[in-house]
Amino acid sequence: MSHLRYVPTEFGQIAYREDGAGDGLPLLLCQRFRGTIDDWDPAFFAPLSEHRRVIRFDSAGIGGSGGSVPPTIEAMGHVAIAFLDALQISRADLLGWSLGGIVAQHAALQAPHRFRRVIIAGSGPGGAAEGPAPHPKVREVMAHPHNGPDDFLFLFFHDSETSRTAGRNCLRRLAGAGQTVPPVSGPGFIGQLKAIAADTGVRERLADLAMPLLVANGVHDVMIPAFRSYLIAQSAPAAKLILYPDAGHAFLFQYADEFASEINRFLSEV
């Protein structure tokens, strides 16, 4: 496991890990709701770091970072930019998963000159009343004080033996990698929930996301239905959409090699 590092920002001390190297632009990873830097499946980020510098970080008030969870997702975007400032990184590629995907859209709109290419995984633009709704059990399961293996499989993988087997394999890899930063605290959990509830989304601004976008999801995502990913691809002018079969919210871990290869191709394009 890569060394845990810290850097001070105006939002508090930010915890992060770096993997890989190279002279190209680094890839910044924005994590999901209730996730920390140690909740990225190594099967996914390891093939990314073979080609470039990959940076995982905990936003303010989450995991190993100090400070408090910002009151809005828009402000979480400012944390990501302040973190890049603290590392003296003037330009980067950006990947956001789930809540991190919404953060990534806000950050890319706030400072489009800072991000060359953006990957949005298992996310949506907000502000979408039409289309499929999340599974009715999602809110109840997400509210559990601790999400055990059964909750994890329900929220992140499709209800098929193939997908659930992939989910159990993912859990074993995460357990083997170890958890060295604290899990998301009660106040952090509540802060994220409040920020999500307050967010009005960026749907009306998607046309301003002019940089190349790679948008992806699993076709059976129970939390953020794949239709929301389609909405991003429909309105952002340079977006490409990929949907993965027999997969849910954690399609990027179920199809780790395939999606990492897709990302590597996308980031290598001129």
Side-chain angles (χ1 to χ4, degrees), residues 12 16 42 45 58 93 97 118 126 139-140 146 148 151 202 224 245 261:
Y16 69 103
F45 70 77
D58 282 337
D93 292 319
W97 174 35
V118 177
R139 186 165 296 189
E140 170 197 341
H146 171 72
D151 287 352
V202 299
I224 304 180
S261 294

Side-chain angles (χ1 to χ4, degrees), residues 32-35 73 98-99 102 122 134-148 150-156 184-186 188-197 221-225 249:
R32 63 172 172 87
F33 172 70
R34 283 182 100 170
I73 300 179
S98 191
L99 170 60
I102 307 173
H135 191 289
K137 280 182 58 180
V138 164
R139 186 165 296 189
E140 170 197 341
V141 174
M142 283 177 62
H144 291 170
H146 171 72
N147 287 139
D150 288 342
D151 287 352
F152 182 82
L153 293 175
F154 167 73
L155 291 172
F156 293 101
V184 176
S185 66
F189 167 63
I190 296 300
Q192 286 186 322
L193 277 181
K194 288 181 176 179
I196 292 168
D221 190 335
V222 298
M223 286 196 281
I224 304 180
H249 199 61

Side-chain angles (χ1 to χ4, degrees), residues 68-213:
S68 301
V69 173
T72 65
I73 300 179
E74 181 179 13
M76 294 177 186
H78 290 300
V79 174
I81 294 169
F83 172 62
L84 290 178
D85 289 342
L87 295 184
Q88 298 183 330
I89 295 173
S90 60
R91 201 158 188 246
D93 292 319
L94 181 62
L95 184 153
W97 174 35
S98 191
L99 170 60
I102 307 173
V103 174
Q105 292 172 75
H106 277 287
L109 287 165
Q110 291 159 10
H113 61 287
R114 301 291 296 272
F115 303 105
R116 183 185 67 109
R117 288 175 176 258
V118 177
I119 301 110
I120 301 172
S123 196
E130 75 275 29
H135 191 289
K137 280 182 58 180
V138 164
R139 186 165 296 189
E140 170 197 341
V141 174
M142 283 177 62
H144 291 170
H146 171 72
N147 287 139
D150 288 342
D151 287 352
F152 182 82
L153 293 175
F154 167 73
L155 291 172
F156 293 101
F157 293 86
H158 180 41
D159 187 16
S160 73
E161 187 54 38
T162 302
S163 187
R164 293 298 171 94
T165 297
R168 288 186 283 270
N169 290 338
C170 173
L171 284 170
R172 280 193 287 271
R173 290 191 296 268
L174 290 171
Q179 178 86 20
T180 61
V181 301
V184 176
S185 66
F189 167 63
I190 296 300
Q192 286 186 322
L193 277 181
K194 288 181 176 179
I196 292 168
D199 189 58
T200 57
V202 299
R203 188 176 181 185
E204 301 305 317
R205 301 177 62 197
L206 287 172
D208 295 332
L209 287 175
M211 71 284 289
L213 261 62

